[in-house]
Amino acid sequence: MFDGRFRTEAERTLKPVGAQLKRTGISANHLTVLGIVMAGAAAVAIGNGALRLGLVLLILTALPDVLDGAVAKASGTASPRGAFFDSVADRFTDALLLLGVAWYLSTTQPGRLALLPMAVLGASMLISYERAKAEALGYNAKGGLME
């Protein structure tokens, strides 16, 4: 979620919450999947013009995404595989949400405005690709403006 100076504080704050959730039997993967489902619901709400509901669902979608790592650490199941699943799920939810915006714009605005969310999607995925490629080549690509 965060790198650099924000990561330590976020992890310290979320550690007790992750421990509490672990006791309920909820796994990090359950939270990641819940986030995907909620993002899908938000995308459908936005696409259908229920913008307030879409905003509420979008905000709620962030909760499982923030908590999945804390639960993984609290339960001792944090792994590269889980981090990979979380990262892919994050990009998938980005795509769902921006497709919802594009769907809404395509039905309410004339012209090509609906292409704007697709440009944002392309840029956001390029940023993720750049970081992954840089790290694969041995460069440190953490932090910076997009953090």
Side-chain angles (χ1 to χ4, degrees):
M1 181 178 93
F2 293 119
D3 289 322
R5 64 182 179 259
F6 301 113
R7 183 179 206 99
T8 304
E9 185 63 32
E11 286 179 350
R12 183 177 37 233
T13 303
L14 294 174
K15 187 175 183 177
V17 178
Q20 287 287 71
L21 285 171
K22 177 194 127 199
R23 290 187 194 112
T24 68
I26 293 173
S27 73
N29 287 343
H30 290 138
L31 289 170
T32 301
V33 170
L34 176 62
I36 292 170
V37 170
M38 291 173 70
V44 170
I46 292 166
N48 282 312
L51 300 182
R52 287 188 179 144
L53 175 60
L55 177 61
V56 168
L57 290 170
L58 174 63
I59 292 167
L60 291 175
T61 297
L63 289 175
D65 185 42
V66 167
L67 295 173
D68 56 5
V71 170
K73 288 175 185 159
S75 63
T77 59
S79 68
R81 183 184 177 279
F84 176 76
F85 177 51
D86 181 53
S87 183
V88 170
D90 288 347
R91 298 299 72 77
F92 184 65
T93 58
D94 291 347
L96 284 174
L97 292 165
L98 288 165
L99 284 168
V101 173
W103 174 11
Y104 172 75
L105 292 173
S106 72
T107 59
T108 61
Q109 302 294 317
R112 298 184 183 119
L113 188 60
L115 294 175
L116 181 60
M118 297 301 92
V120 172
L121 178 62
S124 72
M125 291 202 176
L126 181 61
I127 291 166
S128 294
Y129 173 77
E130 287 173 339
R131 180 173 175 176
K133 188 64 174 180
E135 290 178 356
L137 294 172
Y139 294 109
N140 180 3
K142 293 185 179 183
L145 178 64
M146 296 308 291
E147 180 179 358

